[in-house]
Amino acid sequence: MYFISTRGGDEKVSAPEAIVKGIADNGGLFVPETFPQVTEEDLLEMLKMDYAERAAFIMGKFLDEYDYGELLSECKRAYSKFEHDVAPVICMDGGPYVLELYHGPTCAFKDVALQILPYLLRRGAQLCGIQDDLMILAATSGDTGKAALEGFKNIPGMKICVFYPSEGISRMQKIQMCTTEGNNIDVIGVQGDFDDCQKTVKTLFADEETNEQLKERGVRLSSANSINFGRLCPQIVYYFSAYLDLVTGERLGLGEEMDFVVPTGNFGNVLAGYYAKLMGLPIRRLHCASNSNNVITEFLQRGEYNAERELVRTTSPAMDILISSNVERLLFEATGRDGVKVAEYMRELKETGKYKVSDKERGYIQLTFDGGYANEDECVEAMYNLFVRTSYTMDTHTGCGMKVLDDWHDNNRKDTTVQVLICTANPYKFPQDVLYAVTGNDVKDSFKGIKRLHAATAMPVPKALSSLKDKPILYDMVISPEDAAGVVVEFADGKAHGGVDIGENE
């Protein structure tokens, strides 16, 4: 299978090349030249499979250059690290269906992709004949950073550098990242918000001088964000798996349509669901949930993307984003795969902070997508109401999704379509905020918050979080975006920026 750029041009690359490069030469995002189809016979076959087998089956349709047996083996290895089922669908009395995606090593949905991405990159580099080390750059709004660090740490031939907004993530997320041990990692705070981090990473990819300096050191850049198709591809799988589990549980008939409600910031999670639909999964609608930074909501309703506003810092920091990169991939399909037009929209966004699609394009998008949002009070209320009704505890991002789902039901009372709310993070990643939502109690310390939340809910505390209390902080540098290039080159020379000398990546 070949991949092309959302911004047009003649570049056409294989799956290994798309995954290793991360971004197209013209700054666009790689998309499949065509979407492989999953038939009803395929779905029947997948009913018998476990999650790892389903993952290899779906990803293998895009990754035909990879050996299938090896891909299956690596999927089994990656998903054996999850504490429970990888992506269980919870059917609770008096509540919604919930797809829990937080049972991996770092307690967030990013683990589903970032436990398999190191293999896809490493093997992709081999298939491309690349001898250089790969340096993974990741901008994070909280969860991608730790999941990427956990996936890539100590892997020979790879380095990983994570940029996070110094004041824009939760205390627990920061502790998770800055206590990570490994001989090939660097964790850097950036003055600004996630959009500044994301812009910094994209600038580094396009910076010829920085890339030349890295080349002299035998290093080339790649990405772990959802701009990389290798990050996006594994996320398609859990939409198929959730559907199949509902069929197996006799909650859904094979071929019957369903909806997903998806908390979304950078638009990668929900785009994976859209790609599943393009492959033939019977998805009727994708309901996008935002917080007070409701750029996506307005775009889906009005067709105008307007990032010219002040970012609001919320208790759902992974959605504190104004420029959602993966919308570009949706635009590519909505414009009839017109790369020139997409490039023009992206130019307008860069220069003016906004763009507006045509009525035809907006209509295409609204056939599948709708959006809603929750402010802070509405998120708390939705979390509290569900907890009182069902004793189910959810994180703040999923709380925004719960509000959007409640609104849909209020406005469409006769709608009986099966709907699944995607649960993106373990509640203990945001202990103080979740504790406040379900009990009204307010504590300052994250670990006291964990203790009291456990007392209130009896929900098991993941070892990955409870063990952080006594770990030392290893990375504490904060830089301006302008200093990022120098930091990356220093890292290529073997210097991490928390007072830790990592030496060479043997």
Side-chain angles (χ1 to χ4, degrees):
M1 172 171 288
Y2 289 103
F3 289 76
I4 56 179
S5 171
T6 51
R7 301 185 191 181
D10 298 327
E11 187 175 13
K12 183 186 293 189
V13 300
S14 66
E17 290 175 296
I19 290 170
V20 172
K21 290 185 69 174
I23 297 179
D25 290 339
N26 61 11
L29 306 185
F30 284 119
V31 293
E33 188 175 35
T34 59
F35 279 93
Q37 293 302 294
V38 174
T39 65
E40 186 170 307
E41 289 74 20
D42 290 334
L43 292 174
L44 285 169
E45 185 65 25
M46 282 194 289
L47 285 172
K48 311 167 192 173
M49 299 180 184
D50 63 22
Y51 190 88
E53 291 168 334
R54 291 171 179 175
F57 184 87
I58 295 297
M59 289 194 290
K61 289 184 173 290
F62 294 99
L63 310 176
D64 47 13
E65 294 89 350
Y66 290 73
D67 178 78
Y68 186 80
E70 184 178 83
L71 176 62
L72 176 58
S73 177
E74 290 294 329
C75 285
K76 289 183 178 295
R77 179 200 57 79
Y79 296 126
S80 69
K81 298 179 182 180
F82 284 60
E83 286 189 358
H84 304 285
D85 293 340
V86 179
V89 178
I90 307 301
C91 305
M92 66 184 82
D93 292 335
Y97 294 116
V98 175
L99 175 60
E100 291 184 343
L101 298 177
Y102 58 70
H103 296 295
T106 74
C107 308
F109 81 96
K110 309 295 177 71
D111 288 323
V112 178
L114 285 164
Q115 282 298 307
I116 192 65
L117 180 59
Y119 160 72
L120 298 179
L121 274 167
R122 186 176 68 250
R123 185 63 179 137
Q126 293 169 349
L127 290 169
C128 294
I130 293 171
Q131 303 297 320
D132 293 338
D133 284 355
L134 295 181
M135 182 187 292
I136 313 303
L137 297 186
T140 184
S141 52
D143 289 335
T144 289
K146 177 58 178 177
L149 290 167
E150 196 66 28
F152 284 96
K153 70 180 182 182
N154 298 328
I155 293 183
M158 291 187 174
K159 300 175 183 288
I160 175 163
C161 184
V162 170
F163 294 99
Y164 69 91
S166 60
E167 300 301 328
I169 61 177
S170 77
R171 176 65 176 161
M172 188 59 69
Q173 288 173 315
K174 187 179 293 188
I175 292 172
Q176 273 193 293
M177 286 190 290
C178 295
T179 57
T180 307
E181 298 174 347
N183 64 7
N184 64 335
I185 69 175
D186 206 0
V187 183
I188 306 293
V190 175
Q191 296 166 357
D193 53 38
F194 171 76
D195 291 319
D196 294 308
C197 293
Q198 185 165 248
K199 181 179 178 181
T200 296
V201 167
K202 288 184 176 181
T203 299
L204 288 170
F205 272 95
D207 186 347
E208 293 183 5
E209 181 180 352
T210 299
N211 281 275
E212 185 60 34
Q213 289 178 293
L214 294 174
K215 183 179 179 181
E216 293 170 359
R217 292 160 171 80
V219 175
R220 68 171 64 197
L221 297 178
S222 190
S223 172
N225 285 94
S226 56
I227 56 176
N228 190 324
F229 187 79
R231 235 295 294 279
L232 195 62
C233 185
Q235 294 181 250
I236 298 171
V237 177
Y238 50 70
Y239 286 92
F240 278 94
S241 188
Y243 185 91
L244 294 166
D245 285 350
L246 286 167
V247 171
T248 301
E250 299 183 349
R251 309 280 180 157
L252 196 66
L254 191 67
E256 184 180 349
E257 287 189 323
M258 65 173 296
D259 292 358
F260 286 92
V261 182
V262 191
T264 189
N266 212 24
F267 209 72
N269 195 4
V270 71
L271 184 82
Y274 174 61
Y275 278 8
K277 177 173 180 172
L278 293 182
M279 293 175 71
L281 189 66
I283 293 175
R284 183 189 65 162
R285 300 199 65 76
L286 293 163
H287 308 287
C288 299
S290 300
N291 59 20
S292 295
N293 297 292
N294 57 345
V295 178
I296 293 293
T297 305
E298 292 183 1
F299 171 67
L300 295 175
Q301 292 174 351
R302 305 173 190 171
E304 181 175 5
Y305 197 104
N306 185 355
E308 283 293 289
R309 66 186 75 193
E310 184 176 349
L311 184 79
V312 180
R313 298 198 185 279
T314 73
T315 57
S316 47
M319 298 193 292
D320 291 350
I321 296 173
L322 296 181
I323 299 178
S324 303
S325 292
N326 278 290
V327 172
E328 182 171 340
R329 284 184 165 116
L330 175 59
L331 289 175
F332 188 64
E333 305 302 330
T335 59
R337 309 201 122 201
D338 186 339
V340 173
K341 199 168 188 180
V342 173
E344 176 62 20
Y345 285 144
M346 293 302 99
R347 184 194 63 78
E348 289 181 32
L349 180 64
K350 182 177 180 180
E351 294 179 0
T352 70
K354 63 180 72 172
Y355 61 85
K356 186 173 183 178
V357 301
S358 69
D359 289 344
K360 181 179 179 180
E361 291 157 1
R362 178 167 57 88
Y364 175 93
I365 292 168
Q366 290 177 342
L367 286 174
T368 300
F369 293 87
D370 57 70
Y373 75 99
N375 63 32
E376 293 289 83
D377 289 341
E378 291 169 335
C379 176
V380 166
E381 190 71 9
M383 294 166 67
Y384 175 77
N385 287 340
L386 184 68
F387 180 72
V388 169
R389 192 165 78 247
T390 68
S391 299
Y392 189 83
T393 311
M394 58 178 47
D395 78 289
T396 46
H397 304 77
T398 312
C400 293
M402 190 68 234
K403 167 62 164 58
V404 170
L405 180 56
D406 286 341
D407 287 348
W408 176 266
H409 283 307
D410 287 345
N411 295 324
N412 301 273
R413 293 186 180 277
K414 295 183 179 180
D415 186 6
T416 59
T417 303
V418 171
Q419 295 175 322
V420 173
L421 171 62
I422 289 186
C423 196
T424 58
N426 191 294
Y428 285 110
K429 292 199 76 164
F430 310 91
Q432 299 107 304
D433 298 319
V434 177
L435 177 69
Y436 176 76
V438 300
T439 70
N441 294 328
D442 193 6
V443 298
K444 301 299 182 184
D445 181 78
S446 297
F447 295 100
K448 286 183 179 178
I450 286 178
K451 183 178 179 180
R452 295 184 185 182
L453 184 59
H454 175 67
T457 66
M459 183 179 181
V461 181
K463 292 180 181 179
L465 298 179
S466 62
S467 64
L468 293 174
K469 186 175 182 179
D470 299 319
K471 289 189 175 183
I473 298 296
L474 301 177
Y475 300 90
D476 56 7
M477 175 176 275
V478 177
I479 65 170
S480 67
E482 294 75 22
D483 294 330
V487 165
V488 165
V489 173
E490 288 179 349
F491 182 43
D493 284 331
K495 180 185 177 183
H497 293 86
V500 181
D501 186 359
I502 63 170
E504 292 300 317
N505 179 23
E506 297 294 343

